[in-house]
Amino acid sequence: MKIEDKIETFNSLIKRRGFIWGPSPEIYGGLSGFYSYGPAGMALKNNILSIFRRELRYFGFGEVECPTIMPEIVWKASGHLERFIDPILKCSKCANLLRADKFLQEMFPDRMIDGMSYEKMEQLILDNKISCPKCDTLFGKIEEYNLMLKTQVGAGNTVYMRPETATTTYLLFNRLDQDARKQYPIRVFQYGKAYRNEISPRQHVLRMRAFDQFELQFFISKEQEMQFEDYEDIKDAVLPLLDWKMQDDNLSEPKMTSLHEAISNGTLKKPAFAYCMYLGYYLTKILGFTEDSIRFRQHSPNERAHYADDAWDLEIETNQFGWVEICGIHDRTDYDLKCHGKFANENFEIAMGSDPKNKEIPQILEIAFGPDRIIYTLLETLFEVEEIKTKTKVDQRIVLKLGLELAPNTVAVFPLKKNEERIKTLAKNIHKKLIENRINSFYDEKGAIGKLYRRQDELGTPFCITVDFQSLEDETVTIRYRDSMNQERINIPEISDFLKKKINQ
RNA sequence: GCGCUCUUAGUAUAGUGGUUAGAAUCUCGGGUUUCCAACCCGAGGAGCCGGGUUCGAUCCCCGGAGGGCGCACCA
């Protein structure tokens, strides 16, 4: 069997081996934009999350969790209600759909459309007899498309599913300020679901309507942004940067740039923001993404979100979908706290320095990961179809080169022969010992030894242990390495320690 | 959301207006096998949903859902 199309093979692998299924619910035909994780996918996700949590502890972050539903006032204050509801023009004849404001801006480049009321836009359309560019039918009323999912709580209270976790974190600000005893910068992150009513979700889990976010926040003073202690430790780090000027020159390859170089030539303005870039890069690299598949792409000023002063996407190059954003690093300034302070009638001005009289609203720097995108891009970039030579033929194998801590199974244990009771019993006992040592071991005996190895290759299991006849004599087994397919013999009582040592290397 | 196109076992597919929808792989049971998807025996599993035309529809028609591509959308 020759494996022809790598992308097809990959797409079927993630279904076949229980990584990602959908659109869910499959037995009812599916709802576009919603996917489920199978056991392997969920194991991978949990492994990623525990690495992130462990590392963020090291970087001084605390974790919070907030409700996914928030009242209307929150989104009015954050600006999402205004920005996430788009005015659209729908052609009554050909059903062509257009963003009303963008379309009108194109028609009337000299007029200020942004901020114009719907009535005024409609008047403009009427006065100038604006018609559908496709079929020339006259446009009528402006309709709304709401990118936020709306529902009701209690007796008709209109509420919204959060379109990002970040805003819900900001609502805890005065609690966090107390909790951290005003030791700025405050570092906190939140992991959880966010919801967006995409018009047409596509590209598998890359654009879902319900998706995970893992968002880190710095609450920081303006002074600290420019004189950031931790920056000194990492300023020599070299990152693949593609700023918007390079993009304007039609470049797509990033330039390896050290952070202090980026700061001194003005590509990056704030050392604290540079530190965020580093942190995003660090967390990405630690998952095993290869260096040449990563780049930071800066948003051009008109691409930026309503709250952002500077924004960079950390992107991964995939076969199927090109460069995919897995993380966004945003300088949100004091925008969010200013808005919420105003709407909630709270005073968020804090004395963050030594002078208690010098109060200011903290700045916010954000590092926002999309775990679903991490999982998809990680699987896709680490997936390989390899040629291998056996004694008799040249064969192929499918292998996921997942990091040792990420693989759903750390080790699999097999009996070389399934109908030899003594070998089977010993293999089962070894598996049991590993499980008791809380090592993620998997026992399998269904199939010839080669098939057992290949099955684990597909799941990314880094180690396989095989019990053979010699094991019965001298208390040793073979351990087979996923990437090299090499084997060596090790002592049975030392397996757990051997694996733990390998993992912590 | 629009246009084009597609939808058959877990996966990837073949074929057909009419007996029991075929092969691969897969899964399970058994045999064989002393290290890389071997082999043998046996078994299991499928035409997206709803309506119409027809004596009869998986196949033709209509509608819906979902996927792919293009447009639009993607703070």
Side-chain angles (χ1 to χ4, degrees):
Chain A
M1 178 181 61
K2 180 92 178 160
I3 300 163
E4 297 286 353
D5 191 328
K6 275 187 75 170
I7 285 175
E8 291 296 313
T9 309
F10 172 75
N11 289 340
S12 86
L13 175 83
I14 59 178
K15 281 187 258 184
R16 255 178 36 236
R17 298 315 307 267
F19 284 99
I20 303 169
W21 293 317
S24 301
E26 287 187 278
I27 62 165
Y28 290 108
L31 188 55
S32 185
F34 296 90
Y35 286 81
S36 300
Y37 281 83
M42 208 52 213
L44 173 58
K45 188 187 267 191
N46 284 331
N47 291 341
I48 290 170
L49 293 174
S50 57
I51 289 175
F52 271 20
R53 288 189 165 113
R54 183 188 71 204
E55 294 303 312
L56 288 172
R57 176 88 203 184
Y58 167 78
F59 284 100
F61 281 76
E63 179 172 6
V64 297
E65 184 183 78
C66 299
T68 55
I69 288 177
M70 287 283 166
E72 190 163 32
I73 181 83
V74 168
W75 310 113
K76 206 176 261 173
S78 70
H80 286 89
L81 206 56
E82 192 186 325
R83 299 290 178 152
F84 266 50
I85 296 180
D86 292 332
I88 54 168
L89 282 167
K90 206 171 180 176
C91 174
S92 56
K93 196 177 159 201
C94 71
N96 190 19
L97 205 66
L98 290 165
R99 266 285 292 274
D101 50 345
K102 288 194 177 177
F103 178 63
L104 289 174
Q105 192 67 70
E106 249 174 63
M107 302 288 286
F108 305 99
D110 303 335
R111 297 192 61 164
M112 184 66 191
I113 304 293
D114 205 25
M116 194 183 263
S117 73
Y118 289 7
E119 289 76 25
K120 282 203 169 144
M121 283 196 241
E122 280 169 3
Q123 198 58 49
L124 193 65
I125 291 164
L126 202 67
D127 292 347
N128 293 281
K129 295 196 168 62
I130 304 292
S131 63
C132 174
K134 270 193 182 168
C135 70
D136 216 30
T137 309
L138 286 175
F139 277 130
K141 280 209 161 308
I142 285 177
E143 294 173 49
E144 284 188 344
Y145 186 84
N146 190 351
L147 221 52
M148 282 197 292
L149 286 156
K150 202 180 196 171
T151 186
Q152 306 221 315
V153 162
N157 274 322
T158 297
V159 295
Y160 294 88
M161 314 292 285
R162 61 182 180 189
E164 62 164 13
T165 62
T167 285
T168 64
T169 305
Y170 305 148
L171 303 178
L172 297 175
F173 173 67
N174 49 8
R175 291 288 190 187
L176 291 168
D177 175 58
Q178 284 284 320
D179 187 63
R181 294 179 11 255
K182 302 192 192 296
Q183 302 297 301
Y184 283 83
I186 297 174
R187 304 161 204 237
V188 65
F189 71 93
Q190 180 169 188
Y191 163 70
K193 280 272 184 281
Y195 302 85
R196 288 179 199 182
N197 192 20
E198 300 285 354
I199 294 177
S200 67
R202 272 181 203 183
Q203 302 188 317
H204 201 245
V205 296
L206 299 186
R207 246 176 95 198
M208 290 195 283
R209 284 174 167 146
F211 58 101
D212 280 359
Q213 288 195 317
F214 195 109
E215 301 190 310
L216 289 62
Q217 314 294 337
F218 278 87
F219 298 88
I220 189 169
S221 74
K222 279 191 169 157
E223 192 187 346
Q224 284 173 321
E225 282 188 302
M226 299 311 288
Q227 283 164 9
F228 192 59
E229 217 177 297
D230 296 350
Y231 168 73
E232 297 305 318
D233 298 333
I234 54 92
K235 65 181 181 189
D236 292 325
V238 175
L239 273 58
L241 303 186
L242 182 71
D243 65 32
W244 66 269
K245 282 176 198 144
M246 291 164 74
Q247 297 166 56
D248 261 1
D249 295 339
N250 275 325
L251 297 173
S252 63
E253 288 298 317
K255 188 172 165 238
M256 294 307 290
T257 311
S258 74
L259 290 172
H260 69 84
E261 191 185 340
I263 290 282
S264 62
N265 71 18
T267 306
L268 296 174
K269 284 178 279 186
K270 305 172 180 173
F273 189 81
Y275 182 81
C276 290
M277 300 271 284
Y278 167 79
L279 195 46
Y281 192 57
Y282 175 84
L283 290 171
T284 302
K285 286 279 295 281
I286 202 173
L287 298 178
F289 283 102
T290 55
E291 211 148 284
D292 57 359
S293 69
I294 307 174
R295 76 176 185 194
F296 281 91
R297 191 182 64 81
Q298 188 179 30
H299 285 202
S300 69
N302 55 23
E303 188 185 355
R304 279 184 216 143
H306 60 282
Y307 48 69
D309 184 48
D310 193 7
W312 292 73
D313 287 346
L314 196 167
E315 299 180 320
I316 303 295
E317 189 167 29
T318 63
N319 280 322
Q320 192 158 208
F321 299 119
W323 288 97
V324 171
E325 176 195 355
I326 62 160
C327 173
I329 294 154
H330 307 123
D331 181 348
R332 295 179 72 135
T333 68
D334 59 0
Y335 173 88
D336 297 274
L337 289 181
K338 223 184 220 164
C339 291
H340 290 299
K342 200 163 86 192
F343 274 74
N345 203 18
E346 296 268 349
N347 183 5
F348 288 153
E349 289 184 330
I350 308 289
M352 289 182 281
S354 49
D355 180 4
K357 291 221 172 64
N358 187 13
K359 291 182 169 183
E360 60 174 306
I361 294 175
Q363 306 290 306
I364 292 177
L365 302 176
E366 177 196 41
I367 306 167
F369 281 95
D372 306 293
R373 291 178 166 196
I374 290 176
I375 287 166
Y376 180 89
T377 53
L378 194 61
L379 287 173
E380 212 231 50
T381 52
L382 299 182
F383 164 87
E384 279 182 30
V385 178
E386 277 185 357
E387 295 245 308
I388 52 167
K389 287 192 183 90
T390 63
K391 279 176 205 152
T392 48
K393 60 188 170 179
V394 175
D395 205 356
Q396 286 175 301
R397 67 163 184 160
I398 293 167
V399 55
L400 278 180
K401 298 200 165 169
L402 288 172
L404 306 186
E405 285 185 281
L406 290 177
N409 301 328
T410 304
V411 60
V413 182
F414 314 131
L416 185 59
K417 287 187 70 179
K418 67 174 171 184
N419 53 3
E420 192 71 38
E421 269 322 306
R422 289 180 305 156
I423 288 181
K424 250 165 76 170
T425 307
L426 181 55
K428 279 180 187 165
N429 283 338
I430 289 171
H431 163 67
K432 198 163 161 249
K433 265 274 157 24
L434 290 167
I435 289 285
E436 279 168 3
N437 276 305
R438 298 301 183 267
I439 291 171
N440 295 327
S441 172
F442 181 80
Y443 176 79
D444 198 358
E445 60 179 42
K446 302 268 187 282
I449 190 67
K451 180 172 240 170
L452 297 174
Y453 287 143
R454 302 296 181 83
R455 256 189 214 135
Q456 295 306 313
D457 287 344
E458 281 190 339
L459 275 179
T461 310
F463 307 107
C464 291
I465 283 170
T466 300
V467 176
D468 57 17
F469 287 94
Q470 191 184 331
S471 308
L472 299 173
E473 310 292 322
D474 67 357
E475 290 249 298
T476 63
V477 289
T478 61
I479 182 162
R480 177 257 197 192
Y481 300 101
R482 176 192 67 201
D483 297 350
S484 64
M485 294 173 68
N486 290 336
Q487 298 184 8
E488 56 181 317
R489 287 201 89 82
I490 59 172
N491 293 322
I492 292 174
E494 291 161 18
I495 298 175
S496 289
D497 287 342
F498 183 90
L499 290 173
K500 281 181 183 165
K501 211 180 284 172
K502 284 273 179 202
I503 294 163
N504 291 326
Q505 251 173 23

